[in-house]
Amino acid sequence: MTARKAVKLAEKPLYEGSDWNFDTIQRIYDTVEKVAGEELALNTYPNQIEVITAEQMLDAYSSTGMPLLYNHWSFGKQFLSNELMYRKGQRGLAYELVINSDPCINYIMEENSATMQTLVLAHAAFGHNHFFKNNYLFKQWTDAEGILDYLEFAKRYISQCEERYGQLQVERLLDAAHSLSRQGVHRYPRGSARDLKAEMARENVRHAQREKDYNDLYRTLPKATGKKAEPASARALALNLPQENVLYFLEKSAPRLAPWQREILRITRVLAQYFYPQGQTKVMNEGAACYVHYRIMTALHARGHITEGSFLEFLTSHTNVVSQPMFDSGRYGGLNPYWVGYNMMEDIARVCVDPTEEDRSWFPDIAGGGDVEGTLKHIWANYRDESFISQFLSPRLMRNWRMFKIADREKEEAMKVDAIHDERGYREIRRALARQYDISWQEPDIQIVDVDLAGDRKLVLEHHVTNGVLLSEKDADKVVQHLADLWGYEVVLNEVDDETKSSLKEHKARPRANGPRLAEG
């Protein structure tokens, strides 16, 4: 670790007790910013701090944490559910909420003590902010500068649609679009970063392009002259099939959607894409933020900016956040991403400055290098959860956590311990845990494979089944129904074994009379 310069102790703490006012918040922020720069030299967006009430935090929960979003009945339902649980004491509220935008918006609760405000500013305004700005997934898939303007545009556009076409029609369209939002994401790298402002400016051009695509679709229809239908390979080429982004395909090619309906599908798709990196970086994002807030709070204490009592309050909160309930605890809910991420960050820092022979063998590139800040910032910028765990989970942590791997095979009557934390099991356990965070294992592989333009315009999709895990029948039938409502004709989803290519199950639906009102086809 690089040697640190001696720092002058503060003449008095930033605050005493738990009370705070806006002057205190400004003083805390300025000091945290200075310490963060000296300790970690973080690269962040400018920060915008918003103090909100519990009611406003519940409101933010209901709209997926966004500062402004269009209206939909499901957001109100979510608000009432969260509020009821909060009032009954069955759940608490987050101390902070942070938005990946430029400037980075940080919501802090007015009920927080002064120490908690210091902690959440270090955690969100500097930890999460740095991660958002520098991680390659966020740089590739989101536009922090344009997202706020785009949210305002989306809210205004959908409100205008409600006035013009009726609230019921818009909500039914949003119901269908929301059900497909997990299949509304481009999963492969983009050529350039998304620019939402430019996309809004090109709205008219996109409408014209959609009409062109619509015409292209029907130029492939057979004429009533007895000619043979286009072969499947030609249809696939004309429609760019197979297509994994179902919402994108509907937006471009659904025969009976009106232009305003295509625009609403695009809004839903853009927002789904905005959240796409967050699901792949939960462990790293929270681990980085926890590591940053711990470094900053420790430095504040060492420099005399916070008192012993405040530091003890911080340690209590920090310990609660990064704790891991055992499997037989009533609080167990799987692996806590804060716990996994923070402990791995601390372990990497240890490997950089105090490695063992085992560490030198497993991590020859970083062991003993001494550059903790540089190593961590490189990792935060260039990895996601799956690659982070598969690359940096050390044998030492696996031993400390007493990890082992259970094999639960369908054809075997009993489960079996497949690997334990020893020389033979380290790589197997690490590979198995990393796979739990692999997006290709978390999300079903569903693709549009054909459209029967020569006959009844049937849309055909395939779900490539891995490890014999089929879709939930109840959920799949509902989603296929929404898909049929948007397509306007029959839809078939085949579940196909990925290895043998045999059909395992089929879901069918035809559009409902009470679905979104479509243009006459």
Side-chain angles (χ1 to χ4, degrees):
M1 184 179 294
T2 53
R4 296 195 170 88
K5 298 178 182 177
V7 293
K8 183 181 177 182
L9 292 178
E11 294 181 358
K12 62 177 184 178
L14 291 167
Y15 55 85
E16 292 192 45
S18 60
D19 294 338
W20 57 269
N21 55 33
F22 288 102
D23 289 337
T24 311
I25 294 293
Q26 184 65 59
R27 205 163 53 245
I28 290 171
Y29 179 83
D30 292 341
T31 307
V32 168
E33 182 180 35
K34 180 182 177 184
V35 171
E38 292 175 355
E39 288 287 317
L40 296 162
L42 300 175
N43 174 26
T44 61
Y45 296 120
N47 280 298
Q48 178 178 326
I49 311 299
E50 303 276 354
V51 181
I52 62 174
T53 63
E55 189 88 1
Q56 290 170 316
M57 181 62 85
L58 286 166
D59 193 42
Y61 276 8
S62 65
S63 56
T64 61
M66 304 309 288
L68 67 164
L69 198 57
Y70 53 79
N71 297 323
H72 187 253
W73 65 269
S74 63
F75 301 153
K77 177 185 174 184
Q78 189 70 23
F79 177 87
L80 290 174
S81 173
N82 288 330
E83 184 189 37
L84 184 63
M85 294 177 70
Y86 174 66
R87 302 297 178 205
K88 286 186 173 181
Q90 293 176 342
R91 70 168 297 177
L93 297 180
Y95 297 113
E96 46 82 23
L97 204 59
V98 57
I99 309 298
N100 170 30
S101 59
D102 183 9
C104 183
I105 300 177
N106 299 267
Y107 294 121
I108 57 177
M109 291 266 287
E110 68 175 12
E111 288 86 351
N112 291 348
S113 67
T115 298
M116 287 307 302
Q117 302 294 33
T118 312
L119 168 59
V120 299
L121 287 176
H123 182 91
F126 293 93
H128 284 311
N129 190 341
H130 174 90
F131 194 86
F132 288 147
K133 188 175 182 182
N134 295 280
N135 182 264
Y136 80 100
L137 284 175
F138 288 89
K139 291 168 74 173
Q140 194 167 54
W141 291 108
T142 65
D143 176 15
E145 186 179 349
I147 187 61
L148 296 179
D149 288 337
Y150 190 79
L151 289 174
E152 186 178 0
F153 157 78
K155 184 180 178 68
R156 185 176 65 252
Y157 187 89
I158 291 179
S159 176
Q160 290 170 348
C161 289
E162 288 175 340
E163 291 179 7
R164 187 169 182 180
Y165 305 105
Q167 186 178 23
L168 185 59
Q169 281 302 312
V170 173
E171 289 210 331
R172 284 176 175 170
L173 181 68
L174 285 173
D175 287 348
H178 286 177
S179 74
L180 292 162
S181 61
R182 304 293 286 270
Q183 276 70 49
V185 174
H186 289 297
R187 303 180 196 281
Y188 298 102
R190 294 168 54 84
S192 57
R194 179 176 286 277
D195 185 343
L196 295 178
K197 288 185 177 178
E199 285 195 23
M200 283 188 288
R202 293 196 297 269
E203 183 179 347
N204 290 333
V205 178
R206 290 199 302 273
H207 276 296
Q209 184 62 43
R210 278 198 292 267
E211 292 301 318
K212 180 175 180 296
D213 291 342
Y214 174 85
N215 293 334
D216 283 343
L217 177 67
Y218 283 93
R219 277 202 293 272
T220 62
L221 282 169
K223 296 178 182 177
T225 56
K227 289 185 178 179
K228 293 183 178 179
E230 293 275 358
S233 58
R235 294 200 301 269
L237 186 63
L239 297 172
N240 195 27
L241 300 178
Q243 173 61 257
E244 64 163 0
N245 193 328
V246 177
L247 280 180
Y248 178 80
F249 182 83
L250 293 172
E251 176 195 331
K252 300 296 181 186
S253 306
R256 298 177 61 193
L257 288 179
W260 67 271
Q261 292 172 315
R262 297 177 197 276
E263 186 62 34
I264 289 180
L265 291 192
R266 199 182 74 81
I267 288 171
T268 310
R269 181 170 61 80
V270 168
L271 293 181
Q273 194 75 64
Y274 172 82
F275 288 109
Y276 180 56
Q278 298 197 21
Q280 297 183 70
T281 56
K282 183 72 174 173
V283 168
M284 286 190 66
N285 199 350
E286 296 300 350
C290 288
Y291 180 83
V292 167
H293 82 225
Y294 188 84
R295 284 283 301 271
I296 292 174
M297 294 298 288
T298 305
L300 288 174
H301 176 240
R303 299 181 186 198
H305 292 299
I306 58 176
T307 63
E308 295 289 335
S310 297
F311 192 61
L312 285 174
E313 181 186 352
F314 153 69
L315 288 176
T316 302
S317 298
H318 172 77
T319 304
N320 289 336
V321 167
V322 299
S323 67
Q324 174 60 55
M326 292 296 102
F327 71 93
D328 54 352
S329 164
R331 297 187 299 117
Y332 181 78
L335 291 180
N336 176 2
Y338 294 79
W339 174 75
V340 177
Y342 174 73
N343 281 283
M344 286 188 65
M345 301 302 173
E346 286 287 355
D347 193 54
I348 291 167
R350 178 194 61 79
V351 171
C352 287
V353 297
D354 186 23
T356 63
E357 284 307 310
E358 181 184 58
D359 295 324
R360 292 184 187 281
S361 171
W362 277 70
F363 308 107
D365 294 338
I366 64 173
D371 184 11
V372 175
E373 291 79 16
T375 301
L376 286 175
K377 282 193 275 191
H378 171 78
I379 292 169
W380 296 341
N382 295 290
Y383 289 81
R384 59 181 179 177
D385 288 349
E386 182 264 338
S387 56
F388 171 62
I389 290 172
S390 68
Q391 187 77 21
F392 294 105
L393 181 61
S394 70
R396 180 175 181 270
L397 274 185
M398 285 185 266
R399 286 195 298 273
N400 289 348
W401 291 345
R402 299 176 182 176
M403 300 183 79
F404 55 91
K405 178 190 170 194
I406 293 289
D408 184 7
R409 298 184 177 91
E410 184 180 7
K411 295 180 181 178
E412 296 179 6
E413 292 185 359
M415 293 189 293
K416 180 174 80 172
V417 176
D418 217 25
I420 62 172
H421 48 267
D422 62 4
E423 285 296 332
R424 296 175 56 190
Y426 289 140
R427 295 188 188 282
E428 185 64 24
I429 291 173
R430 186 164 76 169
R431 188 162 45 245
L433 182 61
R435 181 165 286 177
Q436 302 300 311
Y437 297 91
D438 186 346
I439 194 72
S440 64
W441 279 70
Q442 296 173 0
E443 301 288 347
D445 179 11
I446 298 175
Q447 299 184 22
I448 296 172
V449 295
D450 197 10
V451 183
D452 184 11
L453 296 174
D456 54 6
R457 303 178 185 179
K458 182 168 67 179
L459 183 67
V460 183
L461 299 93
E462 281 186 358
H463 169 220
H464 298 273
V465 178
T466 54
N467 290 334
V469 181
L470 298 174
L471 299 171
S472 160
E473 184 170 356
K474 184 179 177 182
D475 292 344
D477 288 344
K478 287 183 178 179
V479 173
V480 170
Q481 182 62 68
H482 281 304
L483 182 53
D485 291 341
L486 291 174
W487 178 246
Y489 300 94
E490 184 178 11
V491 172
V492 176
L493 170 61
N494 290 315
E495 299 202 61
V496 179
D497 187 281
D498 204 30
E499 294 182 358
T500 64
K501 308 303 179 188
S502 58
S503 179
L504 302 175
K505 196 171 184 59
E506 186 178 80
H507 307 267
K508 286 184 177 180
R510 297 191 63 81
R512 293 173 294 190
N514 63 347
R517 191 174 63 235
L518 306 176
E520 292 298 326

